[in-house]
Amino acid sequence: MVGLIVARSKNNVIGKNGQIPWRIKGEQKQFKELTTGNIVVMGRKSYEEIGRPLPNRLNIIVSRTKKFEGENLITVSSVREAIGIAKDEKLLGQYEVLKGGDRNLYIAGGYGLYKEAIAFVEKMYITEVNIVIDDGDTFFPEFDANAFDLEIGETGGKEIKFTRTVYTRHARTNEGTKSITYRKLTEADLNTFIGMRIAQLTEEYTAEGKNPPEGVDLETALKEFYHRHMADGTFVSWLALDGEKIIGTSGMSFVEKPPYFSCPTGRLGLLSSMFTNPNYRRMGIAKKLLDKVVNEARQYGCGSVWITASNMGVKLYTAYGFEHNGNFMQYKL
């Protein structure tokens, strides 16, 4: 993932006389959390102001006039060259500081790098600082906010408040990249689908502070389940694709209970396999996938859709109209 990290004032200032024009306890905590174990890209001036490589991460310095050398330090001539290095698995494998990280790349300034990078970054982590700097001399470049989904995060600070925001780029539709499309799962997709289902379950386990149990052959069990229930029509899934790449999944199983007043058919839909590739989240893809499988349940004659939601999914289902008791949620058709 290619990201960008910056803090800016209410009037878009990011610097004054080569320095950050505020000091707020805790404001730079996010920078450390995101970049540790990953790759930081900064310009020559920014690096010279710091005076040393940032510890516990790979530092890439963009400079056309100087070559910097040191431990965990690389000099390149452009942001695009830095991104090329970040894709070189053989090269990155030589750096111990990257062993435990995701090898994400973060642009850390200054203005010239931000301006070059905005065209292709996937996420921008922008801390909005509630202060006006009248005599600032460095500003964050203008960008098209309509090209991103905005998520408002936590606030902090005492005398000077700040708010975390994340701008996630929409799926690209320009030349060379196809728009997001949707279709039903087929047998040919099963291996990829199962891999994403296991990734989803693993993410949910780790998000709750648990480790997935060892010795469970989930891949074989899932393959048998999907083969059997796709064949008899009691499981259906819709996929989201960027070109030919599957980037999102949804699933609906159909079961029957004795009919009751609110469900005279006795048919219920059990929602599962809601997963979106992390690089494509907050783009509305999950809601569209949910629309697809809820409509499948409606056509099957289900009276409601049930799910035991993960903590990560509760917000989506609540906004959609599911009613819940704890993490058990129900959507009436």
Side-chain angles (χ1 to χ4, degrees):
M1 188 275 295
V2 178
L4 175 157
I5 307 175
V6 68
R8 64 177 180 177
S9 71
K10 292 176 69 175
N11 58 328
N12 217 31
V13 172
I14 62 174
K16 174 185 173 182
N17 299 325
Q19 302 290 325
I20 298 173
W22 54 76
R23 288 291 180 269
I24 308 172
K25 185 176 181 180
E27 185 267 307
Q28 295 187 334
K29 177 183 176 184
Q30 178 179 248
F31 180 90
K32 182 177 181 181
E33 291 175 344
L34 288 173
T35 61
T36 297
N38 288 295
I39 304 166
V40 177
V41 180
M42 68 184 80
R44 175 184 61 81
K45 291 182 179 179
S46 297
Y47 177 69
E48 288 178 337
E49 288 163 9
I50 297 171
R52 60 182 175 80
L54 295 173
N56 303 315
R57 62 212 92 180
L58 176 61
N59 297 255
I60 300 182
I61 313 306
V62 179
S63 174
R64 295 181 177 86
T65 59
K66 289 187 178 181
K67 183 174 178 63
F68 299 95
E69 296 181 347
E71 186 177 6
N72 300 321
L73 185 65
I74 299 174
T75 304
V76 298
S77 60
S78 69
V79 172
R80 290 190 180 275
E81 185 180 350
I83 292 173
I85 287 176
K87 295 179 180 179
D88 188 337
E89 292 294 327
K90 185 176 180 180
L91 174 62
L92 298 184
Q94 302 173 21
Y95 291 91
E96 289 295 325
V97 291
L98 300 179
K99 296 297 184 182
D102 300 320
R103 295 185 179 177
N104 290 326
L105 180 148
Y106 296 97
I107 310 297
Y111 170 82
L113 265 65
Y114 287 142
K115 185 176 180 180
E116 182 181 354
I118 281 178
F120 49 81
V121 292
E122 299 163 59
K123 288 180 180 290
M124 296 194 295
Y125 296 86
I126 300 180
T127 299
E128 305 286 3
V129 182
N130 190 28
I131 188 174
V132 173
I133 306 296
D134 292 324
D135 53 352
D137 53 29
T138 310
F139 299 81
F140 189 67
E142 297 294 329
F143 64 94
D144 180 10
N146 293 324
F148 298 83
D149 285 322
L150 171 61
E151 180 182 0
I152 307 298
E154 66 178 2
T155 60
K158 293 184 179 179
E159 290 81 8
I160 302 174
K161 300 291 186 181
F162 63 85
T163 302
R164 308 287 192 198
T165 67
V166 181
Y167 287 80
T168 302
R169 187 180 297 279
H170 298 162
R172 296 176 185 265
T173 58
N174 57 334
E175 184 178 354
T177 307
K178 298 181 180 179
S179 60
I180 302 299
T181 58
Y182 300 85
R183 65 169 173 81
K184 283 188 177 182
L185 175 75
T186 68
E187 288 278 343
D189 303 314
L190 269 184
N191 287 340
T192 300
F193 181 79
I194 290 170
M196 295 180 75
R197 175 60 172 161
I198 293 174
Q200 174 198 5
L201 294 171
T202 301
E203 183 177 10
E204 291 173 358
Y205 258 79
T206 55
E208 295 172 2
K210 300 184 293 185
N211 292 319
E214 298 181 0
V216 178
D217 185 6
L218 202 56
E219 182 176 355
T220 298
L222 285 171
K223 186 170 292 187
E224 189 277 332
F225 175 90
Y226 293 132
H227 275 302
R228 178 158 46 90
H229 290 285
M230 287 173 69
D232 66 14
T234 57
F235 178 81
V236 64
S237 170
W238 277 80
L239 310 175
L241 300 96
D242 183 359
E244 298 300 317
K245 178 184 177 182
I246 299 173
I247 53 89
T249 65
S250 61
M252 186 70 71
S253 298
F254 304 120
V255 299
E256 291 192 40
K257 297 175 64 177
Y260 49 99
F261 285 121
S262 60
C263 184
T265 66
R267 295 178 180 179
L268 303 173
L270 303 181
L271 182 63
S272 66
S273 306
M274 292 295 302
F275 182 78
T276 307
N277 182 306
N279 291 331
Y280 291 81
R281 290 176 182 171
R282 290 181 289 278
M283 299 180 185
I285 293 172
K287 182 180 181 300
K288 289 183 179 179
L289 287 168
L290 189 52
D291 284 338
K292 299 288 188 183
V293 288
V294 166
N295 189 53
E296 294 283 350
R298 186 176 287 112
Q299 293 182 21
Y300 194 83
C302 295
S304 63
V305 173
W306 292 3
I307 184 171
T308 302
S310 68
N311 292 333
M312 299 170 62
V314 168
K315 185 176 179 180
L316 168 67
Y317 305 127
T318 301
Y320 196 86
F322 280 72
E323 299 174 355
H324 59 99
N325 178 9
N327 278 11
F328 171 75
M329 307 187 76
Q330 178 178 343
Y331 182 78
K332 296 180 180 179
L333 300 176

